[in-house]
Amino acid sequence: MTKVTAQMSVSLDGFYAGPRHDGDGDWLQSAESAKFFRVTRWVINAMAWRERQGFAGGEQDVNSDIMAETFEAAGAYVMGRRMADGGEVPWGDEPPFRAPVFVVTHRPRPILARQGGTSFTYVTDGIHSAVEQAKAAAGGKNVAVAGGGTLLRQVLAAGLLDELELHIVPVVLGTGMRLLDADLGLGDKEGIELIPTRVVHTPDVTHIRYSVDGRAPMVLDDRGSGA
């Protein structure tokens, strides 16, 4: 059965990048970039990721195996417009997705076909539509929410996410863009419950996979009284 999945590298204090860079200047020299590349260092070092990007080298290890597994499981992707725009030139004529990508946006654009099986369809009627279109195109594989973090939170808040994998890097960033932020639309006594289904520890990063159990009220228990 097709699942909607997401994975994100985060710091110990929950940031996936530094403070958002919206102004002029080179993004690669920004604080957003510096902290983003720190929490994704394990990815860039992984042989499976490097091969997918057309780069040589890399480490063939557990982290690389997890990246290869992630690529293999995805039959379609959902992505935010900022990520799609930022990656269009660096990804080149043969992006690493090798599957249909559905971009959530307010600005229409014709389908962008690339080599290697990647196409970008620009969806202007919301995340529910993008996810449904991606499911139909996934060929029985999973739909991967590629990001960024704002889109991932929207998918989670809408109850559309089945599985979340966090790659927790042993670094404290202190500030930046936090993945699980206050804009999830949760009530004062409400939470989103997750069930851990796999934990893989390496020296560089701990991979924790969760099944998303959905919204639930926060009910006070007996606090050990046995009542």
Side-chain angles (χ1 to χ4, degrees):
M1 183 181 74
T2 296
K3 295 186 293 186
V4 179
T5 68
Q7 54 91 27
M8 185 75 78
S9 292
V10 295
S11 65
L12 190 62
D13 50 345
F15 297 103
Y16 63 92
R20 183 182 174 109
H21 177 72
D22 282 326
D24 296 330
D26 186 356
W27 181 82
L28 288 174
Q29 300 302 316
S30 69
E32 178 183 344
S33 168
K35 295 190 176 186
F36 170 77
F37 283 116
R38 173 60 188 94
V39 296
T40 58
R41 183 185 299 165
W42 71 272
V43 179
I44 295 169
N45 288 340
M47 182 180 291
W49 183 87
R50 297 184 67 82
E51 287 179 347
R52 193 79 169 207
Q53 309 294 323
F55 301 149
E59 299 292 330
Q60 180 56 65
D61 54 13
V62 170
N63 294 331
S64 181
D65 291 344
I66 286 176
M67 284 306 308
E69 176 188 73
T70 300
F71 285 133
E72 177 59 30
Y77 293 84
V78 175
M79 183 182 297
R81 182 70 184 248
R82 185 173 187 250
M83 180 175 178
D85 286 352
E88 184 172 335
V89 172
W91 291 328
D93 292 331
E94 192 168 352
F97 304 101
R98 302 179 188 175
V101 180
F102 295 85
V103 181
V104 181
T105 180
H106 296 295
R107 292 176 284 138
R109 182 180 178 181
I111 294 173
L112 180 64
R114 291 300 199 212
Q115 299 174 20
T118 300
S119 62
F120 296 91
T121 299
Y122 295 83
V123 181
T124 57
D125 54 347
I127 57 172
H128 287 82
S129 176
V131 168
E132 287 307 311
Q133 291 183 55
K135 284 182 175 180
K141 289 189 172 184
N142 292 339
V143 171
V145 179
T150 300
L151 178 71
L152 199 163
R153 286 195 299 276
Q154 291 173 356
V155 173
L156 180 60
L160 298 173
L161 193 65
D162 300 308
E163 183 177 281
L164 174 64
E165 186 157 20
L166 295 181
H167 310 291
I168 302 172
V169 177
V171 62
V172 175
L173 298 183
T175 187
M177 292 189 286
R178 192 185 297 276
L179 177 59
L180 301 175
D181 214 334
D183 59 358
L184 287 168
L186 295 171
D188 289 343
K189 293 187 177 181
E190 184 181 39
I192 298 174
E193 296 283 357
L194 300 98
I195 302 169
T197 60
R198 187 179 75 172
V199 179
V200 179
H201 174 70
T202 77
D204 302 311
V205 55
T206 300
H207 311 276
I208 307 180
R209 179 179 293 171
Y210 299 93
S211 173
V212 181
D213 202 30
R215 291 174 180 252
M218 301 290 98
V219 179
L220 190 66
D221 61 23
D222 66 7
R223 292 169 292 165
S225 68

